[in-house]
Amino acid sequence: MNKQNFTLDEIERQIEALEQENQSFFSLFAGFLKTILQIAILPALVYLVFAFFLGIAQISQDSMLPNFAEGDFVIFNRIEENYSFGDVIVVQSVNEQNNVVKRIIAVPGDTIEITSDLRIIVNGNEIRETWQSTGTLSQGTASLSFKLDEGEYFVLNDNRDDNNDSRNKKYGNIEQENIL
């Protein structure tokens, strides 16, 4: 039998080599776990942000021309509930398959009328639009002055030729609960 005699220095070197191999394995494993966690956490955070705070909607018609074209995407704030004149909102449509994008013209408590000479009057004052709108405005349901109830919004398309908005009895005023 061949007996090998190891010196204390040789044993220590072999132990150090084994420890380095173990450290390499564990650091490699730790790096792998860190990468996996980063890959898993980022999509989870993005999902949570878009599920609870932000949303994405695609413009499905040319109703918001010239400001938004068909196929454009808009990001909207899900937690905002204080809407005002001129705000662009995404509405859960009862009459269409897709959500729709509209512009708020009057808010709860406002009185609205579209006059025979096609001026938009809110609370006795003609509105001044700071955005571009196209097409020919029609009176629709706003031909007579009326007051919006609590939680109701009067919305128009920027493309006024498309009357699939509050002027149309089919759509009517938008309830706050239908705003996304």
Side-chain angles (χ1 to χ4, degrees):
M1 234 198 286
N2 187 5
K3 287 187 177 181
Q4 291 185 349
N5 292 326
F6 292 104
T7 66
L8 187 56
D9 288 337
E10 289 173 339
I11 293 172
E12 286 176 350
R13 277 193 299 267
Q14 287 181 356
I15 290 173
E16 284 178 18
L18 286 172
E19 285 176 350
Q20 286 178 350
E21 283 180 25
N22 284 340
Q23 285 177 353
S24 295
F25 172 76
F26 286 117
S27 57
L28 183 65
F29 184 69
F32 175 74
L33 271 178
K34 182 179 175 183
T35 301
I36 293 298
L37 285 174
Q38 288 173 338
I39 290 171
I41 289 174
L42 182 61
L45 286 175
V46 169
Y47 171 78
L48 290 173
V49 166
F50 280 95
F52 297 105
F53 303 107
L54 299 176
I56 298 175
Q58 186 173 20
I59 307 292
S60 60
Q61 304 168 0
D62 62 358
S63 62
M64 291 301 286
L65 285 174
N67 300 302
F68 301 98
E70 184 174 354
D72 284 354
F73 287 93
V74 292
I75 296 176
F76 60 94
N77 181 346
R78 291 184 187 274
I79 55 177
E80 178 64 47
E81 292 187 358
N82 297 317
Y83 305 107
S84 60
F85 169 78
D87 286 352
V88 174
I89 58 171
V90 177
V91 179
Q92 183 177 8
S93 178
V94 181
N95 303 315
E96 297 181 26
Q97 293 177 335
N98 299 326
N99 296 327
V100 292
V101 177
K102 306 289 180 194
R103 188 174 303 273
I104 293 177
I105 300 300
V107 298
D110 284 351
T111 301
I112 179 118
E113 177 185 7
I114 300 176
T115 64
S116 59
D117 59 351
L118 303 180
R119 293 179 299 127
I120 302 171
I121 308 296
V122 176
N123 298 328
N125 300 310
E126 184 175 356
I127 66 165
R128 295 183 191 271
E129 297 176 288
T130 57
W131 57 89
Q132 289 183 317
S133 60
T134 62
T136 305
L137 182 66
S138 63
Q139 291 177 293
T141 60
S143 61
L144 298 173
S145 179
F146 65 93
K147 185 175 183 173
L148 292 170
D149 291 333
E150 190 62 36
E152 281 187 328
Y153 294 84
F154 187 88
V155 298
L156 291 177
N157 297 317
D158 288 350
N159 177 358
R160 301 295 162 75
D161 286 334
D162 183 341
N163 72 346
N164 290 327
D165 53 29
S166 292
R167 295 172 289 168
N168 185 327
K169 286 182 184 179
K170 179 179 165 185
Y171 288 86
N173 299 325
I174 302 298
E175 299 290 331
Q176 182 154 353
E177 63 206 31
N178 292 330
I179 300 174
L180 300 179

